[in-house]
Amino acid sequence: MLTTPLLDPALLSRFAAIVGEKYALTEPDALAPYLVEPRGRYGGTSPLVLRPGSVEEVAAILTLATETGTPIVPQGGNTGLVGGQMPDGTGREIILSLGRLNRIREIDLQSNTMTVEAGVILQTIQETADENGRLFPLSLGSQGTCQIGGNLSSNAGGTGVLSYGNARELCLGVEVVLPSGEVLDDLRKLKKDNTGYDLKNLFVGAEGTLGIITAAVVKLVPKPKGREVAWIGLQSPQAALDLFAIASDRAGAGLTAFELIQKRALDFTLKHIPDTVDPLSGPQPWHVLMEISSGRSAEDARTLIEEIVGEGLEAGLVADATLAMNLAQVEAFWKLRESMSWAQAPEGGSIKHDISVPVAAIPAFIEEGAAAVRSVEPGARLVCFGHMGDGNLHFNVTQPEGGDRDAFLSRYREMNDAVHAVVRAMHGSISAEHGIGRMKRDELIATAPPLAIDLMRRIKAAFDPAGIMNPGKIV
């Protein structure tokens, strides 16, 4: 039962008139896809979803929202995993969906940039770059449905961060509608600009709490002339770390991915994802998916990866390995890695941790983190995989086999506290690439330096004095 009054129908009509009846969704069936996130953990209610088709319409919506004190929840492709795109349960928040702002405004191959609107699907940007002989290196498991505005608002990471950086580092400029309805046009292509505060980076990673990104200038890079992928079996995370040192030394920036994978994560994927095959001839306790890219030639990339794997074998670090022989095998290897999050669902309740620690601390973190998991639930099954090259692990915990899902998930906070205590002791982060949203807001407030929280709140108050922008998220 709602505890606060519903929004006035007359006010809803004023909002709907901005975008037109066709793009103002009110029917339950039409609203449903916007009211629950992919894992079904976070949901809410809303009387209205607005789908503006222009920056001017977004500005008009926010002007009216500030004038009337109406909370607005921006939403992109609705692929976020921490509830940042979800309304609350009061029924007083309006969802603003950016999906119709989906034009690629410009491709500048000399500047190596693409100017895109917030609703452009990430995979569309990747494919457009590829058609023009370029690479847009942001790569996520949800790239077929996530939108670039959401990627920037959550400062998404993915598998290419090791070499290319996260979303923030791939963004040169933004167009943002402020809560006042003013439009900040900062769609510049400059790689060097020291003219005052870097305003764009206030909005990248802010999860829609300061304004709405409606367009961005993103970086492109030359498409590699050679790309080689290896699947490697090892005995331990320490062996993987030692192999990473060899790969970094040999390949430098040509090392474009180095993914660490626990056996159980692979086992779940082979069990639950159709058309997947173990790349190795026998079981290994740990795996690495390594990618080498070369701007010179395919032969150069092949030579590099063979040298790295060979040196790893000679050093006793590599127990088994296979190199992809064609594009189909490359895609098969990456399908295994990108399916791991979803492969956990059939095994029951899963408690997620999206953490980062210094790369050198990863083996110690896995050992101490596993002990922390056992201290909370001895029968829980650790499912660990992630971007070892940049220190980011998805340190997930699946319920005991045959256990009660709800009882296990009721210990979410207890499990988070235990694992995150290890993270903080190693000076790591409790949110490496998924954002804060609703899930981690209270923990951020409780554990971040008080002055840091105070400064964030001051920034929020300065940009959004009416408090309408994605309330209840971050701070």
Side-chain angles (χ1 to χ4, degrees), residues 142-164:
S142 59
Q143 60 198 29
T145 51
C146 65
Q147 298 170 10
I148 191 64
N151 299 149
L152 292 170
S153 293
S154 60
N155 190 28
T159 57
V161 172
L162 169 61
S163 184
Y164 302 108

Side-chain angles (χ1 to χ4, degrees), residues 10-158:
L11 177 59
L12 294 177
S13 294
R14 291 176 66 188
F15 277 108
I18 295 171
V19 299
E21 182 179 350
K22 180 178 179 181
Y23 299 111
L25 310 181
T26 59
E27 294 299 318
D29 288 348
L31 292 171
Y34 299 88
L35 300 179
V36 64
E37 50 85 44
R39 292 198 301 236
R41 176 159 186 194
Y42 293 99
T45 59
S46 176
L48 180 63
V49 172
L50 298 173
R51 302 187 64 236
S54 69
V55 176
E56 292 75 20
E57 289 181 357
V58 176
I61 291 166
L62 294 193
T63 299
L64 179 58
T66 293
E67 173 192 323
T68 58
T70 307
I72 299 292
V73 178
Q75 190 175 112
N78 192 14
T79 60
L81 300 178
V82 293
Q85 76 278 29
M86 284 291 107
D88 65 16
T90 66
R92 290 186 53 82
E93 297 182 346
I94 291 175
I95 295 173
L96 194 157
S97 171
L98 280 299
R100 289 182 63 219
L101 296 179
N102 58 5
R103 290 188 304 124
I104 294 177
R105 295 184 184 176
E106 183 193 47
I107 302 171
D108 183 343
L109 297 181
Q110 290 186 313
S111 298
N112 273 329
T113 63
M114 190 185 302
T115 303
V116 295
E117 293 183 341
V120 179
I121 300 295
L122 174 56
Q123 186 169 315
T124 300
I125 299 175
Q126 295 168 338
E127 291 171 350
T128 303
D130 183 70
E131 290 165 3
N132 285 273
R134 299 293 187 270
L135 172 71
F136 182 61
L138 185 64
S139 181
L140 313 171
S142 59
Q143 60 198 29
T145 51
C146 65
Q147 298 170 10
I148 191 64
N151 299 149
L152 292 170
S153 293
S154 60
N155 190 28

Side-chain angles (χ1 to χ4, degrees), residues 12 238 293 455:
L12 294 177
Q238 183 61 52
S293 300
L455 289 172

Side-chain angles (χ1 to χ4, degrees), residues 142-424:
S142 59
Q143 60 198 29
T145 51
C146 65
Q147 298 170 10
I148 191 64
N151 299 149
L152 292 170
S153 293
S154 60
N155 190 28
T159 57
V161 172
L162 169 61
S163 184
Y164 302 108
N166 54 22
R168 174 174 280 117
E169 293 168 285
L170 294 171
C171 178
L172 292 173
V174 292
E175 175 186 83
V176 180
V177 180
L178 303 179
S180 62
E182 298 168 286
V183 179
L184 172 65
D185 183 352
D186 192 27
L187 290 172
R188 291 183 285 182
K189 305 174 185 178
L190 304 178
K191 295 183 178 179
K192 300 178 74 173
D193 179 13
N194 283 337
T195 54
Y197 301 134
D198 188 349
L199 295 176
K200 76 175 183 298
N201 276 328
L202 286 174
F203 300 100
V204 177
E207 300 183 40
T209 59
L210 303 180
I212 295 179
I213 296 173
T214 50
V217 177
V218 297
K219 296 180 187 177
L220 306 179
V221 298
K223 187 161 61 173
K225 293 182 173 62
R227 179 186 177 214
E228 296 290 338
V229 175
W231 192 282
I232 301 164
L234 315 96
Q235 290 300 304
S236 68
Q238 183 61 52
L241 181 63
D242 294 341
L243 181 64
F244 175 68
I246 293 172
S248 298
D249 183 62
R250 286 277 191 173
L255 178 61
T256 46
F258 197 93
E259 300 287 300
L260 179 67
I261 300 162
Q262 182 197 25
K263 179 179 182 293
R264 183 175 287 120
L266 176 61
D267 288 346
F268 283 180
T269 304
L270 296 172
K271 179 179 178 183
H272 297 296
I273 303 299
D275 303 319
T276 54
V277 178
D278 190 338
L280 303 181
S281 58
Q284 298 291 336
W286 289 90
H287 300 256
V288 161
L289 174 58
M290 180 171 65
E291 180 180 276
I292 300 292
S293 300
S294 171
R296 292 187 289 271
S297 67
E299 293 77 13
D300 181 58
R302 190 71 177 187
T303 298
L304 264 176
I305 204 165
E306 288 175 349
E307 289 177 352
I308 293 166
V309 172
E311 191 169 337
L313 284 164
E314 289 176 11
L317 303 174
V318 174
D320 193 7
T322 184
L323 306 186
M325 300 304 295
N326 50 48
L327 181 60
Q329 280 194 317
V330 168
E331 292 175 348
F333 288 1
W334 276 111
K335 178 181 178 180
L336 286 170
R337 167 62 185 85
E338 291 166 353
S339 301
M340 286 177 180
S341 292
W342 312 113
Q344 295 168 72
E347 294 290 329
S350 180
I351 297 176
K352 312 285 188 180
H353 305 92
D354 166 41
I355 66 91
S356 65
V357 295
V359 173
I362 282 180
F365 169 77
I366 291 173
E367 182 178 351
E368 294 179 32
V373 167
R374 291 192 297 271
S375 73
V376 176
E377 175 52 74
R381 294 172 287 171
L382 180 64
V383 185
C384 176
F385 58 94
H387 323 300
M388 185 175 191
D390 57 49
N392 173 204
L393 294 178
H394 302 296
F395 199 75
N396 301 334
V397 186
T398 293
Q399 70 178 62
E401 205 162 0
D404 182 86
R405 182 179 188 275
D406 291 339
F408 178 70
L409 291 179
S410 72
R411 306 183 74 182
Y412 211 109
R413 178 56 56 197
E414 185 182 358
M415 187 71 78
N416 278 175
D417 289 347
V419 172
H420 289 165
V422 180
V423 174
R424 286 191 293 272

